Amino acid sequence: MKPLAQWPVDSRRAIRGVFTDIDDTLTHDGHIAPEALQALGDLKAAGLAVIPITGRPIGWCEPFMAGTNGPAWPVDAMVAENGAVAFVPASADTFTSQIGLQRSSDMREVLSKRYQQSAEVRSANRQRMDAISAQVCAEVPGMELSRDSAGRETDLAFDYAEFAQHSPDTVQRVLALLQSHGMQTTVSSIHIHGCFGDFNKWTGACWIVRELLGRDLSTELDQWVFVGDSGNDQVMFEHFTHSAGVANIARFVPQLSHLPTYVTPSARGAGFAEVAQAILAAKDHD
């Protein structure tokens, strides 16, 4: 990883959209850093597309989109459950006609959920996942579903580092159990994820750009940057031409096969703000 300061000005000037992880990239202990929230707004005000993409459940994302527990985040969409489902503006016209989502008296009326799987497939998968989660919790001592699981619709998440503390060996045991049932797995900075379907942040990013913009993300990667910090972000680091890790990625570096191109001086939300400032500073010199 190179220091963020080595990101060329011409490359930064070309950026038109930002994907970002949420946990430990924008937030700390579940709360968004003030400088990160300001950075999201500054990017939107400059006309960039801004899309958080997370392993967190779709239900967990709603307050951030709707502004029910603080200011609504100034973003164009929010992709959850590692790419399987997203909150988007209720109409395509909303996305293209306004810089950011504007809060109304009932944000549910201007937000809609979109899925990559049909309702029938999701229902069948839910039954399978309920049985698998019971098996994991019975066979792995102390392992529990994540506390945000009530808001999950398309995957399982087990807590290994948010409220619990489990060893790497225990994490590998859970992964093996999930994989034995044919589940696709990823590990975030706090949770072990399993799902039925080819879902990860890269496929989710390609899907949401196609859904909202009608474009092929893979053909315009010189115009996008991804910011993240953990294991389930490495598929994005692998594919994105421009990527940055916030400084706290250091604890995961030994476990990652693909690293971001750049790393910020600061951790979490302060690091994300440094990426935003680097982009906006380059555009100020157009």
Side-chain angles (χ1 to χ4, degrees):
M1 298 182 292
K2 304 173 186 176
L4 183 66
Q6 293 184 20
W7 192 7
V9 172
D10 288 346
S11 296
R12 287 182 276 142
R13 188 178 294 126
I15 298 299
R16 296 293 179 265
V18 178
F19 277 100
T20 178
D21 173 52
I22 294 180
D23 277 302
D24 293 323
T25 298
L26 298 177
T27 68
H28 183 55
D29 292 334
H31 302 285
I32 190 168
E35 58 267 47
L37 185 62
Q38 181 64 50
L40 293 174
D42 291 344
L43 290 167
K44 284 305 305 158
L48 280 77
V50 181
I51 305 175
I53 186 164
T54 180
R56 287 284 195 174
I58 193 66
W60 181 88
C61 294
E62 185 169 0
F64 301 131
M65 290 289 287
T68 54
N69 290 339
W73 290 13
V75 299
D76 296 298
M78 194 172 290
V79 184
E81 301 179 27
N82 285 314
V85 55
F87 271 122
V88 301
S91 71
D93 290 343
T94 305
F95 183 87
T96 57
S97 66
Q98 62 185 46
I99 286 180
L101 292 177
Q102 303 300 314
R103 185 175 181 180
S104 70
S105 59
D106 183 2
M107 281 296 292
R108 286 179 178 271
E109 294 183 357
V110 297
L111 293 177
S112 66
K113 278 189 279 189
R114 296 190 190 181
Y115 300 88
Q116 292 209 57
Q117 292 174 324
S118 69
E120 292 77 15
V121 169
R122 297 198 307 274
S123 178
N125 286 346
R126 183 76 265 166
Q127 294 182 41
R128 298 169 69 191
M129 290 191 296
D130 288 345
I132 293 167
S133 66
Q135 179 190 358
V136 170
C137 292
E139 294 186 10
V140 182
M143 185 58 62
E144 295 182 348
L145 286 169
S146 63
R147 295 188 188 181
D148 62 14
S149 288
R152 290 189 178 277
E153 299 187 28
T154 64
D155 75 345
L156 294 175
F158 296 91
D159 182 358
Y160 81 92
E162 184 175 25
F163 300 102
Q165 291 297 321
H166 289 287
S167 70
D169 286 346
T170 299
V171 171
Q172 290 304 312
R173 185 176 176 186
V174 173
L175 289 171
L177 275 170
L178 298 177
Q179 291 164 6
S180 73
H181 289 280
M183 300 191 85
Q184 178 170 295
T185 58
T186 56
V187 180
S188 75
S189 60
I190 52 177
H191 294 158
I192 305 162
H193 296 271
C195 69
F196 291 109
D198 186 19
F199 300 126
N200 59 52
K201 289 188 176 182
W202 167 247
T203 59
C206 291
W207 166 66
I208 203 65
V209 168
R210 188 167 59 248
E211 283 279 301
L212 294 181
L213 302 175
R215 302 206 304 260
D216 182 351
L217 176 62
S218 67
T219 67
E220 54 183 52
L221 284 172
D222 59 326
Q223 300 176 44
W224 292 81
V225 64
F226 172 73
V227 189
D229 80 300
S230 66
N232 66 337
D233 294 328
Q234 66 176 329
V235 68
M236 299 289 266
F237 299 145
E238 177 185 3
H239 285 92
F240 271 69
T241 303
H242 306 295
S243 62
V246 289
N248 45 291
I249 196 174
R251 66 187 176 122
F252 290 107
V253 165
Q255 305 164 33
L256 299 180
S257 301
H258 301 281
L259 295 173
T261 308
Y262 304 102
V263 64
T264 64
S266 302
R268 299 182 173 86
F272 177 82
E274 289 166 350
V275 176
Q277 289 161 6
I279 295 168
L280 298 174
K283 292 184 178 298
D284 285 343
H285 290 89
D286 279 351

